Amino acid sequence: MKKQILSAALIALSLITGVTACQKDASENNEGKARLQVRLTDAPAAYDAVNIDIQKVMINTSEDTSTTQGWVELPLLHPGVYNLLDFRNGIDTVLADMEVPAGRINQIRLVLGPNNSVVIAGVQHELKTPSAQQSGLKLKLKADLTPGILYRLYIDFDANRSVVTAGNSGQYILKPVIRTYAEATGGSLKGFVLPKEALAKVWAIQNTDTLLALPDAVTGYYFFGGLNAGSWKVNFDAQDSTFRDSTINVNITSGVVTDASTITLKK
């Protein structure tokens, strides 16, 4: 009965607060992979619009900036035209979001399509981008990705400095001035809960956030990713009523995978 009340209370908390419980199958051990979000942002510019046609984003771990090997394409959520001026003053948009092999990223390549333009005093002008259309813009970046951690990689366009007037011809050329940087967002928690006969569920709770993980049926391994920094209560809820539930408190640090070791539920 105690376990039924605890489970019901936790589920009610999730529903009342409007937080969707994130259920994970911990049998899919994500050791060796990090989650990478690529985000587009911009510095202010004195134009009505600066429209950039983004078609591909790729990353590379090679130190050789001239290499043509080892590029990994990150599928874009919405390839196409973005007005850079929509993403000023701390506003950004997600271009790609996926798991990638952990390790060091040394380069990014941004491939643009042909539909680039600048709007000045209500008039739209084509932006010439010959080099970007052919091979992509290679951007240097030094970022070490830790397994199990969520990273946000920012492509920060300086729209004002990226648009250049071609003499007196009335033409405009896109010569991108871009700053790139990555930052860890939140931390992760991993551990084991035994014995397998307890059929435990693992709940991680911080304020109004309530997350659920289902441990591996054989090893008892569980994992939570993208946790906010700070203190979390972790409940081990045994579905077999002959075992007793357990609770621990853990402190999560951004950019760090916290190991809760092994919790053994007693009868």
Side-chain angles (χ1 to χ4, degrees), residues 10 25 39 61 67 104-105 112 115 145 148 174 185 261-262:
L10 289 170
D25 181 355
R39 292 173 171 254
T61 59
T67 184
R104 167 161 287 199
I105 296 177
L112 305 183
N115 299 315
L145 307 186
L174 180 64
T185 302
S261 190
T262 299

Side-chain angles (χ1 to χ4, degrees), residues 98-243:
M98 67 176 292
E99 286 190 335
V100 298
R104 167 161 287 199
I105 296 177
N106 290 309
Q107 299 179 79
I108 311 169
R109 179 180 285 170
L110 187 64
V111 179
L112 305 183
N115 299 315
N116 304 288
S117 63
V118 59
V119 179
I120 303 173
V123 179
Q124 180 168 302
H125 305 269
E126 179 186 2
L127 275 176
K128 304 288 186 179
T129 55
S131 61
Q133 291 178 34
Q134 293 173 11
S135 60
L137 304 168
K138 290 183 181 179
L139 313 173
K140 292 183 179 181
L141 173 73
K142 301 294 185 182
D144 293 309
L145 307 186
T146 300
I149 296 297
L150 167 64
Y151 292 85
R152 289 177 177 170
L153 191 162
Y154 289 90
I155 298 176
D156 186 0
F157 253 93
D158 187 333
N160 195 54
R161 297 168 60 197
S162 296
V163 177
V164 178
T165 304
N168 296 321
S169 64
Q171 294 185 338
Y172 295 87
I173 301 173
L174 180 64
K175 293 186 176 180
V177 177
I178 301 173
R179 182 171 68 103
T180 59
Y181 59 96
E183 63 179 26
T185 302
S188 299
L189 174 67
K190 68 178 182 178
F192 296 84
V193 56
L194 299 173
K196 64 180 182 180
E197 290 78 14
L199 303 175
K201 294 181 179 180
V202 185
W203 299 83
I205 303 170
Q206 184 191 64
N207 300 323
T208 59
D209 286 344
T210 302
L211 308 177
L212 170 65
L214 300 179
D216 182 87
V218 176
T219 66
Y221 176 84
Y222 66 89
F223 178 87
F224 293 98
L227 300 182
N228 294 326
S231 179
W232 285 77
K233 179 184 292 185
V234 183
N235 289 331
F236 301 90
D237 181 16
Q239 301 306 293
D240 184 327
S241 60
T242 63
F243 291 88

Side-chain angles (χ1 to χ4, degrees), residues 40-53:
L40 176 68
T41 188
D42 174 45
Y47 301 109
D48 296 340
V50 179
N51 300 308
I52 305 300
D53 185 4

